[in-house]
Amino acid sequence: MILAPARSRAPGAPIPNAMTCDVEDYFQVSAFAPHIDRASWPTRECRVEANIDRILALMADGNVKATFFTLGWIAERYPAMVRRIVDGGHELASHGYGHLRASDQDLAAFTEDITSSKKMLEDIGGQQVRGYRAPSFSIGTGNLWALDALLAAGYRYSSSIYPIKHDHYGMPDAPRFAFYPNGTDGLLEVPITTVRMGQRNLPAGGGGYFRLLPYALSRWMMAKVNDDDQESAIFYFHPWEIDPGQPRPEGVDLKSRFRHYVNLDRMEGRIKALTRDFAWDRMDNIFLGRA
Ligand SMILES: [Zn+2]
């Protein structure tokens, strides 16, 4: 593994962080998968379009360009929404087609998933798709072959590894910052942001932790990555996280419910604060250069 050097910046310019949104609806999250039959997806109330429009307004207000890792399942139902993302100056990237974990697929199924979703997004969005994020950060020690498959399918980078210990995902020994798993002519992997405390990496890049912890602590952790590590932070969130009024499926276990619903009503204000408190850019602009 080879760490990618940080890009040079003008003296005094702030380090840009990557604002990323995983475009999926509330009934597609992996923690709900045991309780929500995929066959029921088409009949469920979709909230993603209205939530994305609010997010696009938030980004425009803060003058932030972001990366939207979008499910093919969503894109084919909401093509006009996908074009609004692109028209807003944001990067369109792939989150696979139907939110199947990479770790649950073999090479042939994974290749079909990343190839068809890439083509679908490119046809709708009219721009090249270069980035991929695996559902539930499902690339790790057991399936690093997936990174080679992404390169073969025409992707340039992935943001699919979370270097933490977690019951659903994580590769605690992975590098904390952008790296080439197989040499500099291979795929670039950009892990979700962590803060190093003693011998452990603590999650500092979004999701349930960001909603659970006080905003000031999250802000401190991201600033520490910028100031101490001199690296860009990668922040991620989902459209359903700004939607306290979303339907609540029945039968979901207590832990998953807590993780999904905690502080949803505070999320929009916190994202607004992030857009104000840090410098942001799209993943491709930060990690692939501006050429
Ligand atoms: Zn997802």
Side-chain angles (χ1 to χ4, degrees), residues 29-233:
V29 304
S30 295
F32 287 179
H35 314 287
I36 296 182
D37 186 356
R38 287 175 169 268
S40 75
W41 286 6
T43 61
R44 292 191 181 260
E45 179 194 350
C46 278
R47 314 268 296 185
V48 68
E49 188 171 32
N51 291 331
I52 285 292
D53 283 341
R54 283 166 60 203
I55 289 164
L56 289 174
L58 268 176
M59 295 301 137
D61 281 353
N63 200 22
V64 170
K65 303 299 181 210
T67 294
F68 289 78
F69 294 98
T70 304
L71 285 183
W73 193 95
I74 295 287
E76 70 182 351
R77 283 165 177 79
Y78 300 96
M81 179 195 82
V82 170
R83 283 189 284 271
R84 287 200 291 282
I85 290 173
V86 171
D87 290 347
H90 305 291
E91 178 189 9
L92 187 62
S94 171
H95 196 35
Y97 178 79
H99 216 261
L100 280 178
R101 288 174 198 245
S103 51
D104 287 344
Q105 302 181 73
D106 62 16
L107 174 61
F110 182 69
T111 297
E112 150 57 25
D113 185 66
I114 58 177
T115 304
S116 63
S117 59
K118 182 175 191 290
K119 179 166 190 326
M120 180 185 294
L121 292 166
E122 289 176 344
D123 287 348
I124 296 170
Q127 63 174 220
Q128 205 191 346
V129 166
R130 300 188 287 178
Y132 171 80
R133 172 168 292 150
S136 300
F137 309 112
S138 55
I139 295 180
T141 315
N143 63 341
L144 289 173
W145 52 262
L147 299 175
D148 295 325
L150 285 163
L151 184 69
Y155 291 89
R156 296 277 313 279
Y157 76 89
S158 152
S159 180
S160 305
I161 291 178
Y162 209 160
I164 57 166
K165 275 198 170 76
H166 185 283
D167 53 351
H168 292 170
Y169 49 74
M171 182 177 169
D173 298 330
R176 289 175 54 225
F177 301 110
F179 66 100
Y180 295 98
N182 292 314
T184 53
D185 56 351
L187 192 87
L188 182 70
E189 170 61 33
V190 186
I192 303 297
T193 291
T194 56
V195 159
R196 189 80 178 161
M197 289 282 175
Q199 298 297 308
R200 296 188 59 185
N201 296 338
L202 301 183
Y209 300 104
F210 179 76
R211 279 181 285 119
L212 181 62
L213 299 174
Y215 175 72
L217 179 57
S218 296
R219 186 180 56 196
W220 176 81
M221 290 197 292
M222 290 180 54
K224 181 172 159 60
V225 168
N226 289 168
D227 297 342
D228 294 356
D229 298 308
Q230 288 286 302
E231 290 278 359
S232 300

Side-chain angles (χ1 to χ4, degrees), residues 162 203-219 221-222 235-237 241 262-263 266-274:
Y162 209 160
Y209 300 104
F210 179 76
R211 279 181 285 119
L212 181 62
L213 299 174
Y215 175 72
L217 179 57
S218 296
R219 186 180 56 196
M221 290 197 292
M222 290 180 54
F235 180 80
Y236 80 97
F237 71 108
E241 288 187 273
V262 65
N263 288 337
R266 297 186 179 178
M267 190 64 173
E268 190 165 1
R270 288 183 179 184
I271 298 216
K272 207 177 193 53
L274 279 181

